[in-house]
């Protein structure tokens, strides 16, 4: 078990000598991502405030960076990288599919109610 | 991998679970199942938060204006403290994974040290969470809630927030808070606000530089500030309750739903961290007692590690959706 770790991150761009070294490498990566998020959150650059598919571009950047962080926590801290493909897919795809479905339904409905509030009449009568 | 697994007598049989298609032990697989279901619970909460936020997209509180405090420092530091909390939790995840790694090498001394550091990290996080709650509940500036349930906050002519204590004078009052020990025992009442709405109106009339700020966001994503005449009119016409801080019913930062979700989601997460710390402590003592040394495997540390990393994983999302987006 102990020597079965896969030691590459970023698709082989960075390769570590030992598992301990990889852990510290991932910590640095996660810290950089968090720092970028906080700096963007404090300064909120004007050019990222435009709208893109219903949300600000900045918010999309936050969500993508968060998913990137989640990937490295799951893959390297929780050793998903070393598990069999079947276990990995069973856990990840189940969650991803159900969560996407749930978020889509709820946000769609929330946006609809908002439109009823703001425009004062029912646009689509189901 | 043959250490903690109990032999079932079905090894090698296709349907007896003996041929191990996932190549993970029973305990680890069950921990993954639990994590998937718990992840769905949390995403249910966060999606419900998203629902309410999209519903009130034009008047939702701006997180940068709500969470601006850092312990021992005065001033306006949005997000710095939450970023620190995030870092503490990621750091304790790192010590946890180092403990797991040391366990693979059967290094008892290192596992002990790393487990200890993980517990410390978890305690710092829970403590920070408690401080954050306390600050949120106590509030800072105070506000007036209208009859329709909206929040009116106060700003000066430059748009800086003005606290009620800076322009309102409290007069002597005969009314005291009702306690069920000296009144109706089945009726209870929360703490009375320091000021009454009439006192706030008087304060606003006597300070020309104070304006009312409503919950509504303008096209620049900032809260709308009313002019002097409209400020007075709005407060006199609609002001109903003075709100200081937040609880499940009222919230000086804006929509009460924001406070409800804040308490519920960070509370549920904080409870996970708390139980994670307890489990870590149990495992820590087991390590010291040499339970896993005798068992010949530190897989239990790995299983608890999975839970601990999951708690970190959830926080990453809570951080994004409560504080950043």
């Amino acid at each position: 078990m102990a020597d079965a770790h896969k030691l590459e991150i970023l698709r082989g761009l960075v390769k570590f000598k030992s598992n301990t070294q990889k852990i510290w490498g991932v910590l640095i990566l996660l810290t950089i991502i968090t720092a970028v998020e906080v700096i963007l959150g404090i300064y909120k650059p004007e050019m990222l405030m435009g709208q893109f598919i219903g949300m600000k571009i900045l918010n999309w950047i936050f969500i993508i960076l968060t998913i990137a962080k989640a990937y490295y926590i799951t893959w390297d801290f929780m050793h998903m990288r070393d598990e069999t493909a079947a276990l990995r897919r069973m856990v990840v795809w189940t969650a991803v599919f159900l969560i996407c479905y749930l978020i889509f339904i709820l946000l769609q409905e929330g946006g609809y109610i908002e439109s009823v509030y703001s425009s004062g009449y029912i646009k689509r009568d189901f | 991998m043959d250490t903690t697994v109990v032999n079932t007598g079905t090894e090698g049989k296709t349907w007896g679970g003996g041929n191990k298609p996932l190549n993970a032990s029973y305990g680890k697989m069950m921990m993954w199942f639990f994590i998937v279901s718990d992840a769905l619970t949390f995403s249910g909460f966060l999606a419900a938060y998203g629902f309410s936020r999209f519903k009130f997209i034009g008047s939702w509180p701006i997180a940068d204006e709500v969470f601006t405090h850092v312990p021992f420092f005065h001033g306006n530091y949005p997000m710095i403290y939450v970023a620190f909390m995030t870092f503490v939790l990621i750091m304790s995840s790192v010590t946890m994974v180092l403990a797991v790694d040391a366990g693979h090498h059967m290094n008892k001394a290192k596992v002990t040290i790393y487990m200890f550091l993980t517990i410390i990290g978890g305690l710092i996080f829970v403590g920070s969470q408690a401080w954050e709650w306390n600050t949120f509940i106590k509030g800072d500036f105070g506000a007036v809630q209208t009859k329709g349930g909206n929040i009116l906050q106060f700003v000066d002519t430059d748009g800086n927030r003005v606290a009620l204590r800076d322009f309102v004078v409290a007069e002597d009052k005969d009314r005291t808070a009702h306690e069920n020990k000296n009144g109706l025992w089945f009726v209870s009442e929360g703490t009375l606000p320091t000021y009454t709405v009439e006192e706030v109106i008087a304060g606003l009339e006597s300070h020309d530089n104070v304006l009312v700020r409503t919950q509504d966001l303008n096209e620049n994503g900032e809260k709308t500030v009313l002019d002097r005449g409209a400020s007075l009119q709005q407060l006199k016409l609609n002001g109903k309750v003075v709100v200081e801080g937040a609880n499940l019913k009222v919230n000086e930062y804006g929509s009460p739903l924001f406070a409800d979700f804040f308490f519920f989601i960070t509370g549920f997460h904080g409870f996970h961290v708390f139980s994670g710390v307890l489990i870590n402590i149990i495992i820590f003592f087991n390590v010291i007692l040499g339970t896993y040394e005798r068992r010949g495997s530190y897989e239990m540390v790995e299983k608890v590690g999975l839970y601990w990393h999951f708690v970190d994983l959830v926080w990453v999302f809570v951080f994004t959706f409560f504080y950043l987006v």
Side-chain angles (χ1 to χ4, degrees), chain B residues 180-201:
Chain B
N180 51 9
K181 70 175 184 213
N182 51 18
L184 295 171
W185 59 269
F186 50 88
V187 176
S188 61
E189 184 179 64
T191 331
L192 288 178
T194 326
Y195 312 103
T196 62
V197 177
E198 288 72 36
E199 287 161 3
V200 176
I201 293 173

Side-chain angles (χ1 to χ4, degrees), chain A residues 1-2 5 19-20 23-24 27 30-31 34 37-42 44 49 54-56 58-59 62-63 65-67 69-71 73-74 76-80 83-84 86-88 90-92 94-95 98-99 102-103 105-111 113-115 117, chain B residues 1 21-24 28-29 32-33 35-36 39-40 43-45 47-48 50-58 62 64 78-80 83 86-87 90-91 93-95 97-98 100-101 104-105 114 220-221 302 305-307 309-310 312-313 316-317 319-321 324-325:
Chain A
M1 263 309 277
H5 291 295
N19 191 39
T20 330
I23 295 166
W24 291 110
L27 169 69
L30 292 179
T31 311
T34 310
E37 282 182 335
V38 170
I39 290 166
L40 284 178
I42 290 176
K44 293 193 196 309
M49 301 307 269
M55 264 197 301
K56 285 185 199 126
L58 186 66
N59 287 357
F62 284 145
I63 290 169
L65 288 178
T66 305
I67 292 171
K69 271 204 278 189
Y71 172 84
I73 290 172
T74 320
D76 291 308
F77 288 175
M78 298 167 101
H79 299 297
M80 213 35 148
E83 301 289 357
T84 58
L87 175 62
R88 196 162 61 220
M90 185 180 80
V91 169
V92 174
T94 311
L98 288 173
I99 290 169
L102 183 70
I103 288 176
I105 299 256
L106 281 178
L107 295 192
Q108 184 69 22
E109 196 63 18
I113 294 176
E114 196 274 335
S115 76
Y117 282 158
Chain B
M1 288 307 306
L22 302 175
N23 203 21
K28 239 164 94 174
M29 219 149 68
W32 273 113
F33 284 173
I35 286 174
V36 170
L40 293 174
S43 43
F45 293 161
F51 171 82
S52 298
R53 190 168 170 171
F54 268 52
K55 194 168 146 187
F56 297 112
I57 197 87
I62 302 167
D64 277 5
M79 294 216 305
I80 299 292
T86 309
F87 185 73
I90 290 178
M91 202 58 220
S93 244
V94 167
T95 54
V97 77
L98 287 171
V100 172
D101 187 64
H104 285 152
H105 296 109
Y114 286 134
N220 299 323
E302 197 172 333
L306 283 180
Y307 176 73
H309 297 310
F310 170 69
D312 181 24
L313 185 72
V316 164
F317 283 92
F319 173 63
T320 301
F321 291 113
L324 290 175
V325 169

Side-chain angles (χ1 to χ4, degrees), chain B residues 154-162 166-167 203-212 225-226 228 231:
Chain B
F154 299 94
V155 291
D156 63 18
T157 40
D158 299 326
N160 299 316
R161 293 289 302 277
V162 177
D166 292 336
F167 72 99
L204 187 66
E205 276 172 339
S206 59
H207 288 74
D208 289 336
N209 58 340
V210 178
L211 300 171
V212 163
V225 178
L226 302 177
R228 187 73 191 147
S231 293

